[in-house]
């Protein structure tokens, strides 16, 4: 059986992930993502009303025209998890393929919301829920399996396409968390089993976000402990405390909410994406948030919440807001510019429970946001966080577990791939032979 890998998006940057695997006449597409930084550098752009070709020209979504080079039919579109760099282009590209979108329950709900917000295209693909540990047939000779992984969003999986020539493991995005705050630990037992099956692993496509960093990525339990320490240190402070994190990081939001209550403050979730992700997770039972917790996404309702906080006393509240990367229209950035009724006084605390995404646009916006907050007198608690991506020791462990014949680094630029090329070389892989450093728009024939 011929096996080809089309590396469509996410092989020259972090963002707009999209990969297609052709096994004979059957094709499975993994991820259809958005590069948000390409959108944020433009003022007041609404992607919902934009044409896919315009977004492709902006390098904001994958250029999927390379799909015409693959001789086969798309049988499934499989987003690995609900981050926008993995699902944000489904509403723009999904309708081009007569195939179901197959994902875990939380991811499917987020895909539904992306589709419902779309103004330009009518996406009618069937939405099919599949849980970690389950399988489905792809054509007559292949099988798709979901393996549970841990990441900075719940319900993440690594999909595995089992073919007669061996398994293709799509390894984006994960960390090895054996003590997660929400959900099950990473299923390393199943990865080791797949690596030792008769057919073995033909190809492993790996997320290289942290491949230049030594050691291993800590568990989310470590971030929770850091957050607990910071929050309890502020228990006696009688001014304003504000926290920000990734809206999609439900486990982290849950921890912030719990610790806010324990130090005697009422948590309030503010911002459109904060309401979207936490509200969806709460609605489907993926997280148990307090019944009375306030979640406000629309501008007027957020402004009313800020007014209530100021009127009743900000020492009794803890707003959890969007804006951890300094996004221009997010809540925390508006607070820094003095555009809300929440007044930051000298000594008020701002807790960033998020790292800076290593990309120039984010780094510049985050720097600007922090300076605006400091100018108002805020004291900043930085990087109360652990990454959702493997460091080098995790990569070694995955290569040992899977023992793949071929490896394709992904989810970085060429500089970001360098650490992974070195460590894969240490394991006996050779560039151009079985280690394939590629770029967007290429097709690699493995069999």
């Amino acid at each position: 059986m011929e096996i080809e890998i089309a590396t469509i998006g996410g092989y020259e940057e972090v963002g707009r992930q999209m990969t297609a695997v052709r096994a004979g006449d059957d094709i499975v597409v993994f991820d259809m993502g958005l590069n948000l930084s390409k959108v944020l550098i433009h003022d007041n752009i609404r992607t919902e009303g934009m044409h896919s070709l315009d977004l492709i020209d902006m390098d904001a979504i994958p250029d999927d025209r390379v799909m015409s080079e693959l001789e086969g039919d798309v049988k499934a579109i499989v987003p690995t998890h609900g981050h926008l760099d993995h699902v944000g282009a489904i509403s723009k590209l999904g309708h081009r393929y007569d195939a179901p979108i197959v994902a875990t329950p939380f991811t499917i709900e987020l895909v539904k919301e992306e589709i419902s917000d779309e103004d330009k295209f009518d996406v009618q693909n069937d939405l099919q829920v599949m849980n970690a540990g389950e399988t489905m047939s792809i054509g007559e000779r292949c099988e798709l399996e979901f393996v549970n992984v841990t990441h900075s969003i719940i319900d993440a999986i690594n999909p595995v396409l089992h073919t007669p020539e061996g398994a293709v493991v799509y390894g984006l995005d994960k960390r090895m968390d054996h003590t997660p705050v929400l959900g099950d630990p990473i299923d390393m037992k199943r990865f080791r089993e797949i690596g030792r099956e008769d057919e073995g692993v033909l190809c492993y496509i790996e997320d290289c976000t942290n491949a230049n960093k030594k050691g291993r990525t800590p568990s989310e339990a470590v971030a929770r402990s850091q957050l607990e320490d910071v929050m309890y240190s502020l228990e006696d402070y009688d001014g304003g405390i504000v926290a920000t994190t990734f809206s999609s990081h439900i486990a982290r939001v849950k921890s912030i909410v719990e610790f806010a209550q324990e130090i005697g403050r009422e948590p309030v979730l503010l911002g459109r994406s904060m309401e979207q992700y936490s509200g969806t997770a709460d609605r489907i039972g993926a997280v148990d948030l307090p019944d009375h917790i306030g979640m406000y996404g629309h501008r007027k309702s957020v402004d009313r919440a800020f007014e209530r906080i100021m009127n009743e006393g900000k020492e009794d509240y803890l707003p959890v807001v969007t804006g951890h990367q300094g996004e221009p229209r997010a809540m925390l950035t508006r607070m820094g510019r003095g555009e809300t009724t929440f007044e930051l006084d000298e000594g008020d605390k701002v807790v960033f429970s998020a790292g800076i995404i290593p990309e120039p646009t984010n780094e510049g916006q985050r720097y600007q946001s922090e300076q605006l907050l400091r100018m108002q007198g805020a004291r900043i608690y930085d990087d109360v966080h652990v990454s959702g991506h493997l460091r080098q020791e995790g990569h070694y462990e995955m290569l040992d577990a899977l023992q793949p014949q071929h490896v394709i680094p992904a989810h970085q630029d060429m500089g970001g791939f360098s650490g992974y090329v070195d460590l894969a070389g240490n394991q006996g892989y050779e560039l151009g032979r079985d280690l394939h450093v590629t770029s967007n728009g290429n097709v690699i024939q493995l069999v």
Side-chain angles (χ1 to χ4, degrees), residues 28 32 40 52 66 72 146 149 166 175 192 231 259 329 357:
V28 177
M32 285 183 178
L40 291 176
S52 56
V66 70
F146 280 5
V149 298
R175 67 164 169 243
R192 285 189 288 270
M231 297 285 271
F259 295 137
R329 298 188 296 275
I357 296 171

Side-chain angles (χ1 to χ4, degrees), residues 360-411:
T361 303
N362 292 315
E363 290 165 348
Q365 289 177 167
R366 171 73 174 262
Y367 173 82
Q368 185 180 49
S369 174
E370 289 192 22
Q371 295 312 305
L372 288 169
L373 293 165
R374 286 193 176 99
M375 287 168 65
Q376 296 205 41
R379 305 274 286 276
I380 291 172
Y381 291 71
D382 196 16
D383 203 24
V384 186
H385 180 61
V386 297
S387 173
H389 302 267
L390 297 176
R391 291 187 175 189
Q392 289 178 357
E393 292 306 316
H395 289 303
Y396 280 121
E397 192 173 341
M398 285 303 303
L399 289 174
D400 182 63
L402 293 173
Q403 300 179 9
Q405 296 177 46
H406 296 269
V407 179
I408 302 176
H411 210 278

Side-chain angles (χ1 to χ4, degrees), residues 7 13 20 59 135 137 161 172 181 214 327 353 374 377 446:
T7 58
E13 71 274 283
D59 293 334
T135 62
S137 295
L161 183 63
L172 282 62
V181 170
K214 300 182 290 293
E327 302 92 321
S353 190
R374 286 193 176 99
L446 296 178

